[in-house]
């Protein structure tokens, strides 16, 4: 079956350090991946996406890396700030056209 | 401003009552979705609609119902048949299936 999973449910980092959040996917035919950020009590917000014809995409302080060989996706946040504290989800389109979401990683930023 | 709205933000109901959660979008998106989120958990798909007047069950549709009479509106009814309705409910929309979804702010439903 299809599944999208994150390696760690919780990640704790020091303010100013870089954060790396990982995601493993099972569908080798997936051609599009999205990262969402969900702050407490709010809806998920789009952060960045990547197509399968790329292995890296950069945004403002965020970078997504895609390794299709091992079906692994990561989100890197540079100089992590308190405002980055949230739950991060990866998502990919399923066979029926819906998005399949991972379980989420909670990022805690220590001052 | 374009966006997706949900109302109310907090909702309290007595056990055994049906309750309808509102979701409206002015993004001109064809597809709309309802998710349920329990504390510390991911998103579980309840229902989705890829076009007006059509909708499909998601992974946890039992005890819920929806309608899609207008493109911009996708209300969710939590019926008394839902065994454990207390949760955070999220509505989303997208241009089409499999594309980036835009989420509303959510409705927190508490059944007393």
């Amino acid at each position: 079956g299809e599944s999208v999973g994150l390696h760690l449910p919780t990640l704790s980092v020091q303010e100013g350090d870089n954060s790396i959040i990982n995601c493993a996917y099972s569908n080798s035919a997936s051609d599009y991946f999205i990262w969402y950020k969900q702050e407490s009590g709010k809806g998920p917000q789009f952060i960045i996406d990547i197509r399968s014809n790329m292995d890296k995409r950069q945004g403002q302080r965020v970078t997504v890396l895609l390794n299709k060989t091992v079906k692994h996706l990561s989100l890197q946040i540079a100089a992590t700030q308190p405002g980055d504290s949230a739950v991060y989800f990866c998502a990919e389109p399923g066979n029926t056209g819906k998005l399949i979401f991972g379980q989420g990683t909670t990022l805690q930023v220590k001052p | 401003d374009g966006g997706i709205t949900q109302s109310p933000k907090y909702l309290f109901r007595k056990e055994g009552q049906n309750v309808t959660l509102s979701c409206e979008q002015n993004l001109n998106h064809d597809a709309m979705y309802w998710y349920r989120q329990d504390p510390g958990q991911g998103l579980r798909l309840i229902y989705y609609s890829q076009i007006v007047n059509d909708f499909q069950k998601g992974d946890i549709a039992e005890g819920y119902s929806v309608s899609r009479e207008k493109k911009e509106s996708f209300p969710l009814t939590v019926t008394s048949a839902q065994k454990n309705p207390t949760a955070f409910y999220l509505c989303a929309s997208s241009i089409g299936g499999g594309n980036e979804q835009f989420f509303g702010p959510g409705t927190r439903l508490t059944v007393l």
Side-chain angles (χ1 to χ4, degrees):
Chain A
E2 299 172 314
S3 66
V4 179
L6 291 169
H7 294 302
L8 291 174
T10 302
L11 176 66
S12 185
V13 300
Q14 203 71 38
E15 181 178 355
D17 287 352
N18 296 335
S19 303
I20 300 175
I21 300 170
N22 295 306
C23 183
Y25 62 94
S26 60
N27 186 0
S28 56
S30 292
D31 60 357
Y32 179 58
F33 302 90
I34 307 171
W35 280 101
Y36 285 92
K37 172 186 179 183
Q38 185 179 23
E39 297 178 11
S40 181
K42 298 182 179 180
Q45 297 292 312
F46 171 91
I47 303 174
I48 192 168
D49 58 5
I50 189 168
R51 299 258 171 215
S52 60
N53 61 350
M54 305 170 70
D55 53 18
K56 180 179 180 179
R57 190 169 188 211
Q58 287 184 294
Q60 187 177 16
R61 278 200 310 117
V62 296
T63 300
V64 56
L65 299 178
L66 176 61
N67 185 332
K68 294 181 286 293
T69 302
V70 295
K71 293 186 285 187
H72 182 269
L73 186 69
S74 69
L75 177 71
Q76 300 179 1
I77 304 174
T80 311
Q81 302 170 359
D84 295 326
S85 293
V87 179
Y88 291 82
F89 295 96
C90 60
E92 62 170 326
N95 289 336
T96 52
K98 300 169 290 183
L99 283 183
I100 300 174
F101 290 85
Q103 287 301 303
T105 289
T106 299
L107 177 63
Q108 298 174 338
V109 181
K110 296 178 289 187
Chain B
D1 287 337
I4 181 166
T5 58
Q6 292 183 244
S7 62
K9 188 171 179 61
Y10 299 98
L11 189 55
F12 296 89
R13 279 295 182 269
K14 292 182 179 179
E15 193 172 342
Q17 290 181 333
N18 291 354
V19 59
T20 298
L21 281 59
S22 169
C23 179
E24 303 278 331
Q25 55 97 1
N26 60 4
L27 300 167
N28 201 32
H29 286 170
D30 284 317
M32 297 187 75
Y33 312 81
W34 273 106
Y35 295 91
R36 172 185 172 133
Q37 188 175 35
D38 293 286
Q41 302 296 312
L43 305 174
R44 292 190 290 169
L45 183 64
I46 305 172
Y47 267 98
Y48 66 105
S49 167
Q50 298 194 339
I51 199 166
V52 175
N53 292 322
D54 187 41
F55 49 83
Q56 288 80 39
K57 292 181 179 180
D59 302 317
I60 55 164
E62 185 175 352
Y64 299 99
S65 66
V66 293
S67 63
R68 187 85 189 277
E69 298 176 1
K70 298 186 295 182
K71 187 175 186 177
E72 58 270 23
S73 179
F74 191 40
L76 173 74
T77 297
V78 184
T79 75
S80 57
Q82 168 50 235
K83 301 298 182 202
N84 188 17
T86 295
F88 189 49
Y89 290 88
L90 287 160
C91 181
S93 70
S94 67
I95 294 172
N99 292 291
E100 175 195 348
Q101 293 181 13
F102 294 77
F103 284 85
T107 291
R108 188 168 298 280
L109 173 64
T110 302
V111 176
L112 306 172

